[in-house]
């Protein structure tokens, strides 16, 4: 079958896109409001976009044409932290995916520990083995949307934090200890399955 996005309902587009583009890494984004209220929320429209210098991106949806707390905070402070999600943190991450009032601190809601960052104001999740302190360098609002669209954020990584347990020699990551989790469609997530290698020609 063929689908013209202009002729589909938004829910159909979402199901097709998130079901096809898998697995997706999860950026568990922590931010802070201008009033000092912590925010923590997961985003699976997320990835690394370059290493010279290192940058990441994530997209925050605008449901019913309204900005969520993460979007508001990052636009206001120009800072955020990416906390990578592991198998042990999946349930706590899922708690922060719910919609709650702006005055709610999701660190407290999920029962995770806020840890001071070195170069930005938003806190890191202490329990996450890999975190990136980021400074916003660019954002772009998607145009011609039906339900509010989304805002794409690109941030430069100012500081990287890696727990010793996930590091091997020569800056390689020990996947057996890292145990990252990826987003699929609906309520589904994925762990690392069978790995295979192909050398470049």
């Amino acid at each position: 079958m063929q689908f013209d996005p202009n002729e589909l309902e938004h829910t159909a587009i979402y199901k097709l896109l998130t079901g096809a583009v898998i697995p997706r890494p999860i950026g568990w984004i922590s931010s802070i409001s201008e009033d000092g209220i912590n925010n923590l929320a997961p985003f699976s429209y997320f990835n690394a976009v370059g290493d010279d210098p290192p940058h990441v991106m994530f997209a925050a949806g605008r449901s019913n044409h309204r900005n969520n707390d993460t979007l508001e905070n990052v636009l206001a402070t120009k800072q955020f932290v990416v906390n990578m999600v592991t198998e042990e943190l999946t349930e706590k991450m899922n708690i922060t995916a719910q919609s709650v009032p702006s005055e709610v601190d999701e660190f407290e809601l999920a029962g995770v520990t806020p840890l001071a960052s070195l170069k930005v104001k938003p806190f890191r999740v202490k329990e996450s083995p890999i975190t990136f302190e980021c400074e916003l360098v660019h954002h772009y609002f998607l145009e011609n949307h039906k339900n509010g669209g989304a805002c794409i954020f690109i941030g430069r990584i100012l500081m990287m934090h890696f727990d010793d347990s996930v590091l091997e020699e020569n800056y390689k990551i020990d996947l057996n200890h890292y145990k990252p989790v990826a987003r699929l469609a609906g309520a589904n997530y994925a762990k690392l399955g069978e790995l295979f290698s192909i050398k470049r020609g």
Side-chain angles (χ1 to χ4, degrees), residues 83-98:
N83 307 275
M84 301 307 295
V85 179
T86 63
E87 292 178 21
E88 293 182 353
L89 291 173
T90 305
E91 291 292 340
K92 294 182 182 296
M93 175 276 299
N94 190 51
I95 291 173
T96 66
Q98 61 184 302

Side-chain angles (χ1 to χ4, degrees), residues 84-142:
M84 301 307 295
V85 179
T86 63
E87 292 178 21
E88 293 182 353
L89 291 173
T90 305
E91 291 292 340
K92 294 182 182 296
M93 175 276 299
N94 190 51
I95 291 173
T96 66
Q98 61 184 302
S99 180
V100 297
S102 298
E103 60 270 18
V104 173
D105 183 330
E106 281 91 353
F107 280 84
E108 295 181 4
L109 184 67
V112 293
T113 310
L115 187 64
S117 297
L118 299 182
K119 294 191 175 184
V120 298
K121 290 183 179 180
F123 290 93
R124 297 179 284 133
V125 173
K126 181 180 180 180
E127 292 79 3
S128 175
I130 300 175
T131 60
F132 303 125
E133 300 180 28
C134 301
E135 176 183 58
L136 180 66
V137 297
H138 181 69
H139 72 277
Y140 169 72
F141 283 93
L142 300 184

Side-chain angles (χ1 to χ4, degrees), residues 57-74:
M57 65 75 59
F58 75 96
R62 300 180 67 250
S63 181
N64 297 319
H65 304 277
R66 295 180 59 185
N67 292 350
N68 60 38
D69 292 336
T70 301
L71 198 159
E72 289 283 357
N73 292 348
V74 177

Side-chain angles (χ1 to χ4, degrees), residues 175-194:
L175 295 176
N176 291 321
H177 286 93
Y178 180 21
K179 298 182 180 179
V181 169
R183 190 79 167 90
L184 301 177
N188 298 316
Y189 293 83
K191 303 175 183 179
L192 290 181
E194 181 181 354

